[in-house]
Amino acid sequence: MTTERPDEAGTGTGTAGTGGGAPGAARRQGPPGGLTLPAGAPAGAGLTALRSHNTALVLDLLRTAGAQGISRVELAERTGLTPQAVSKIVGRLRADGTVAEAGRRASTGGKPRTVLGLVPSAAHAVGLHLDRDELTAVLLDLSGTPVASRRGPLDLGAGAGRVIAAAADAVGALLGDAAARVRADGRPPRVLGAGVAMPGPLDHRSGVPGRVTGFPEWEGHPLREELAARLGLPVVLDKDTNAAALGLALRGPGDSFAYLHLGTGLGAGLVLGGAPYRGSRTGAGEFGHQVVRLDGPVCGCGGRGCLEALCLAAVGRGDLPEAARVLGTGAANLVALLDIDRVLLGGRTVAAAPEVFTAGVARAVAARGPVPVAAVDAGADTVAEGAAHLVLAPLFGRPA
């Protein structure tokens, strides 16, 4: 249970841990709602952070309640905040249009309770997937529902200037598509920021790509800073697989799983204990570059016999069962190493033949235990939507 906060209720003490987000991103580019404070922050900043945390607790309960809503009494019970604190938070959220009354519910005694609901159209987040040959842009509302999307060709090797310009143009077109959508109070939609997902490796905290496989010219480029300046929005950068895994974690059980993405490359997003795992240098998940054949073909990363090289070679010659077998070998290694609960498959290559890949990977994983294997919704823009959740998740106090 969360203890009461002096800034919200006027009484009570206690502190709480952060809901997530990379420290560097939270200090510089993160959306509102995070708890990380910059060095030398003024004395009042701590109370502001606690207020943000309490607001995030309430917002997350409103988000998960969905259309049925939730009462103030239930909010107080589930957060551990006083009724006065909840009333103050709800008052602010209603004033800015984020929360509205959603009807009444019969009470066990006394008058019926007023229930509150999140207003999904109150704010939005942009998600961008910069793939090696394609750009996908989506706009999600506060509930995580897509309200607009754009897709077009992209050459990730055309140079940073051209790629950033293409991304900015896509966002402009996306917002233009959504311009007719207005909030219930008549005000235009509010955009909180943009999440960007691209192939790795990269540094999630600094927002700088590493030596991207096949595109080494991206190494060290300040992509996050340049795109933020171009868009006039806060920007968060992460690997494509991590973004996808985050989006899947938010709409599934709080377990441990691996999301394996096979498209123009092969990578993994790891969720351990319900939270994305990036490692201390944010480089975890380079799944495609584990060596499984010492004398195998040369990979784009410079190594030999990598899973990615073997898997893409099989796809290239049309041998999808062999590609699935290779992918399954890597998945079985992950299951044995991390004892994860599920293996999820995605990416355009998997989407083209989900039954073949699901069956092939499941056979290999079965040797390590009864771990379910499933393909994610082939019709979803999994990576781009996950990128938008890089912006939305901290608003609800969720690990991002």
Side-chain angles (χ1 to χ4, degrees):
M1 177 181 289
T2 306
T3 53
E4 297 172 9
R5 313 295 179 209
D7 60 311
E8 297 286 10
T11 60
T13 59
T15 58
T18 177
R27 288 190 185 98
R28 303 184 61 187
Q29 296 287 354
L35 276 176
T36 303
L37 299 177
L47 295 182
T48 301
L50 291 178
R51 180 180 293 120
S52 297
H53 178 68
N54 293 341
T55 301
L57 293 176
V58 171
L59 281 171
D60 194 44
L61 288 172
L62 286 160
R63 180 184 68 88
T64 55
Q68 69 179 12
I70 187 170
S71 71
R72 290 173 176 82
V73 172
E74 291 170 309
L75 288 171
E77 290 173 348
R78 297 187 192 183
T79 60
L81 297 168
T82 64
Q84 296 92 335
V86 169
S87 291
K88 287 182 180 180
I89 293 170
V90 168
R92 288 197 298 268
L93 294 174
R94 289 190 64 188
D96 72 8
T98 305
V99 171
E101 291 188 359
R104 294 182 178 273
R105 184 185 303 156
S107 175
T108 54
K111 64 180 182 180
R113 293 177 178 175
T114 299
V115 295
L116 303 162
L118 189 70
V119 179
S121 61
H124 298 77
V126 171
L128 287 170
H129 179 195
L130 307 181
D131 206 349
R132 292 171 172 85
D133 60 358
E134 186 176 65
L135 187 156
T136 303
V138 299
L139 188 69
L140 303 191
D141 65 19
L142 280 183
S143 70
T145 301
V147 297
S149 64
R150 284 259 172 170
R151 189 189 305 273
L154 178 73
D155 179 2
L156 195 61
R162 290 186 179 181
V163 171
I164 290 171
D169 289 345
V171 172
L174 186 74
L175 298 180
D177 292 342
R181 300 175 181 270
V182 295
R183 291 166 53 166
D185 58 14
R187 287 183 285 177
R190 178 163 52 110
V191 180
L192 300 174
V196 181
M198 68 180 294
L202 55 78
D203 189 329
H204 168 67
R205 290 168 299 195
S206 67
V208 174
R211 194 173 179 82
V212 179
T213 304
F215 302 90
E217 64 272 18
W218 276 103
E219 185 173 12
H221 193 89
L223 172 59
R224 186 185 71 188
E225 302 294 339
E226 289 191 5
L227 188 56
R230 183 72 178 257
L231 296 178
L233 292 170
V235 171
V236 185
L237 177 69
D238 206 349
K239 283 200 301 188
D240 46 12
T241 49
N242 288 343
L246 170 63
L248 294 169
L250 290 174
R251 68 179 192 232
D255 58 359
S256 299
F257 67 86
Y259 168 73
L260 308 182
H261 186 93
L262 178 59
T264 56
L266 174 60
L270 303 175
V271 171
L272 304 182
Y277 178 76
R278 297 183 179 88
S280 60
R281 291 173 295 279
T282 76
E286 289 299 310
F287 170 78
H289 300 296
Q290 56 177 302
V291 175
V292 292
R293 186 183 298 169
L294 294 178
D295 59 349
V298 176
C299 179
C301 71
R304 298 187 70 94
C306 294
L307 272 175
E308 179 174 296
L310 296 172
C311 203
L312 293 181
V315 171
R317 61 177 182 267
D319 191 351
L320 296 188
E322 172 62 10
R325 188 183 72 84
V326 173
L327 183 59
T329 298
N333 289 343
L334 272 185
V335 170
L337 183 65
L338 300 176
D339 194 24
I340 52 180
D341 302 309
R342 294 181 293 152
V343 174
L344 301 179
L345 309 177
R348 70 177 76 165
T349 303
V350 171
E355 297 85 2
V356 173
F357 282 97
T358 301
V361 172
R363 277 193 295 271
V365 168
R368 302 293 186 180
V371 176
V373 176
V376 301
D377 182 4
D381 293 320
T382 306
V383 174
E385 290 177 17
H389 281 296
L390 292 167
V391 174
L392 293 176
L395 190 69
F396 300 101
R398 301 300 293 268

